[in-house]
């Protein structure tokens, strides 16, 4: 089988070949058919990721495929089941703890960018039947984190206003989930063309943050005094405007850190009585809940471009360009 590994952060991916693994007791062998790339993957490749990454780690955290074998004692899965791997294999339910989140794919553990991989029985979820494998591969990171921000933690309900930032995978998922919940979505981007696409996806209002640098105040005005929820993926460069956008008593979910420059005045948290919450993925239980909702509603992830398994370098180049709306994925032939 073929696989891509990273000798060390900053070294670049290496294509290798080896025998397909055999599932041990309690393990499941999956033939992977779809993968998604994330901003975190780029951070690891460039050597900027703050957590330890094991040498020669198999790349990527997001993958989906078909069960082709099970080890002794496995009862939950059988050959032919369509599954996706969980980002934190040990976070099964409840709040995240240091113990549950200590191990992660494409970090302390091998990731998914291989034709075959073994996973613990509890580290997989069934994927919605109407999604193909590449679509299913977008769910373990961007999908689950957006669901937690909007639904599980945010508790968005009809009539509320949600602000999403940019057109990446997590933000487009947040837009879709908020719109499904009956919320009014305000979306930002630096591209009028992307803003038009975000309106097609359900955004009621859009703001070009290049031509409107004070986009937080603009969003607050559109919402009649402040938005109920902000899903912030920018980090230091956007959090100040996100807090300005939020209403008194509003909720800001920090679900990504794409920029580190900039500073925010914590006085806003006090004066506006904001709930500011950081989110890093979610439990297997949350993943399963989201998948049931996706299957029930027929929601489809937004795919920007599909690349072949061997074209992972081109996929990362496209992701890094920022030209995408939605997710960048890989798929097998």
């Amino acid at each position: 089988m073929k696989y891509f590994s990273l000798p060390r952060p900053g070294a670049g991916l290496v294509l290798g070949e080896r025998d397909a693994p055999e599932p041990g007791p309690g393990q499941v062998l999956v033939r992977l058919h779809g993968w998604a790339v994330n901003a975190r993957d780029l951070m690891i490749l460039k050597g900027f990721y703050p957590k330890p990454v094991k040498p020669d780690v198999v790349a990527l955290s997001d993958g989906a495929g078909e069960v082709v074998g099970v080890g002794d004692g496995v009862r939950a899965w059988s050959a032919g089941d369509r599954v996706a791997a969980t980002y934190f294999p040990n976070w099964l339910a409840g709040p995240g703890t240091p113990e549950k989140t200590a191990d992660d794919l494409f970090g302390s553990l091998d990731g998914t960018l291989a034709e075959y991989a073994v996973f613990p029985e509890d580290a997989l979820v069934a994927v919605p039947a109407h999604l193909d494998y590449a679509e299913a591969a977008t769910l373990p990171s961007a999908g689950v984190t957006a669901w937690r921000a909007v639904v599980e933690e945010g508790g968005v309900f009809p009539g509320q206003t949600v602000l999403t930032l940019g057109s990446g995978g997590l933000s487009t998922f947040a837009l879709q989930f908020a719109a499904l919940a009956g919320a009014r979505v305000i979306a930002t981007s630096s591209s009028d063309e992307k803003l038009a696409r975000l309106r097609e996806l359900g955004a009621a209002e859009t703001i070009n943050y290049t031509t409107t640098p004070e986009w937080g105040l603009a969003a607050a005005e559109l919402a009649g005094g402040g938005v109920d929820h902000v899903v912030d993926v920018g980090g230091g460069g956007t959090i100040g405007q996100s807090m300005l956008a939020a209403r008194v008593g509003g909720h800001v979910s920090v679900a990504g850190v794409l920029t580190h420059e900039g500073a925010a005045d914590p006085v806003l948290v006090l004066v506006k009585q904001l709930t500011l919450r950081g989110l890093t993925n979610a439990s297997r239980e949350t993943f399963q809940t989201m998948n049931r909702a996706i299957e029930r509603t027929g929601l489809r992830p937004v795919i920007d471009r599909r690349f072949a398994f061997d074209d992972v370098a081109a996929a990362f180049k496209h992701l890094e360009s920022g030209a995408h709306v939605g997710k960048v994925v890989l798929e097998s032939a």
Side-chain angles (χ1 to χ4, degrees), residues 94-213:
T97 64
E99 293 75 23
K100 293 176 184 177
T101 60
D103 288 326
D104 51 5
L105 301 186
F106 194 20
S108 62
L109 303 173
D110 280 335
T112 62
L113 194 53
E115 292 179 313
Y116 293 86
V118 292
F119 302 97
E121 178 180 17
D122 291 339
L124 298 168
V125 299
V127 298
H130 68 286
L131 301 184
D132 64 35
Y133 286 114
E135 290 173 320
T138 68
L139 303 176
S141 290
V144 168
T145 305
W147 176 267
R148 184 178 168 202
V150 173
V151 180
E152 185 173 78
E153 302 283 358
V156 171
F157 56 81
Q160 291 195 313
T161 304
V162 176
L163 174 64
T164 61
L165 309 187
S167 62
L170 196 157
S171 294
T172 53
F173 267 119
L175 190 165
Q176 289 177 294
F177 291 147
L180 279 178
R184 177 188 177 205
V185 181
I186 301 171
T188 72
S189 175
S190 61
S191 161
D192 288 339
E193 183 180 355
K194 289 182 179 179
L195 291 175
R197 176 68 175 129
L198 295 175
R199 287 192 293 272
E200 291 175 357
L201 292 172
E205 307 279 356
T206 55
I207 302 170
N208 187 314
Y209 62 76
T210 299
T211 58
T212 308

Side-chain angles (χ1 to χ4, degrees), residues 2-293:
K2 294 191 292 186
Y3 68 99
F4 282 94
S5 63
L6 183 69
R8 64 185 183 282
L13 294 180
V14 175
L15 176 63
E17 291 194 29
R18 62 189 181 199
D19 292 338
E22 293 288 336
Q27 292 184 326
V28 179
L29 176 64
V30 178
R31 182 175 183 179
L32 293 149
H33 295 288
W35 304 262
V37 296
N38 295 293
R40 170 185 178 262
D41 302 323
L42 277 174
M43 292 176 65
I44 294 172
L45 290 177
K46 293 175 177 292
F48 299 148
Y49 193 58
K51 292 180 65 176
V53 176
K54 77 167 191 169
D56 296 312
V57 65
V58 176
L60 301 193
S61 60
D62 292 6
E66 175 188 6
V67 173
V68 292
V70 298
D72 291 343
V74 172
R75 298 289 181 266
W77 308 107
S78 57
D81 288 341
R82 302 171 73 251
V83 296
T86 57
Y87 176 88
F88 288 119
N90 298 319
W91 188 1
L92 303 183
T97 64
E99 293 75 23
K100 293 176 184 177
T101 60
D103 288 326
D104 51 5
L105 301 186
F106 194 20
S108 62
L109 303 173
D110 280 335
T112 62
L113 194 53
E115 292 179 313
Y116 293 86
V118 292
F119 302 97
E121 178 180 17
D122 291 339
L124 298 168
V125 299
V127 298
H130 68 286
L131 301 184
D132 64 35
Y133 286 114
E135 290 173 320
T138 68
L139 303 176
S141 290
V144 168
T145 305
W147 176 267
R148 184 178 168 202
V150 173
V151 180
E152 185 173 78
E153 302 283 358
V156 171
F157 56 81
Q160 291 195 313
T161 304
V162 176
L163 174 64
T164 61
L165 309 187
S167 62
L170 196 157
S171 294
T172 53
F173 267 119
L175 190 165
Q176 289 177 294
F177 291 147
L180 279 178
R184 177 188 177 205
V185 181
I186 301 171
T188 72
S189 175
S190 61
S191 161
D192 288 339
E193 183 180 355
K194 289 182 179 179
L195 291 175
R197 176 68 175 129
L198 295 175
R199 287 192 293 272
E200 291 175 357
L201 292 172
E205 307 279 356
T206 55
I207 302 170
N208 187 314
Y209 62 76
T210 299
T211 58
T212 308
E214 296 295 318
W215 50 266
L217 293 175
E221 184 176 352
L222 286 172
V227 304
D228 297 290
H229 302 264
V230 184
V231 181
D232 188 293
V233 296
T238 57
I239 191 66
Q241 289 294 315
S242 290
M243 291 193 296
L244 286 171
R247 65 166 171 82
V248 173
H251 189 120
V252 180
S253 295
V254 181
V257 181
L258 297 177
T259 59
H260 295 274
E261 71 279 0
D265 189 348
V267 169
L268 280 173
V269 180
L270 298 175
V271 172
K272 301 181 80 171
Q273 303 176 66
L274 300 177
T275 297
L276 189 65
R277 182 183 293 276
L279 304 176
T280 302
N281 213 271
S283 69
R284 178 177 186 257
E285 182 180 59
T286 295
F287 198 164
Q288 291 170 316
T289 299
M290 178 192 70
N291 282 352
R292 288 193 293 269

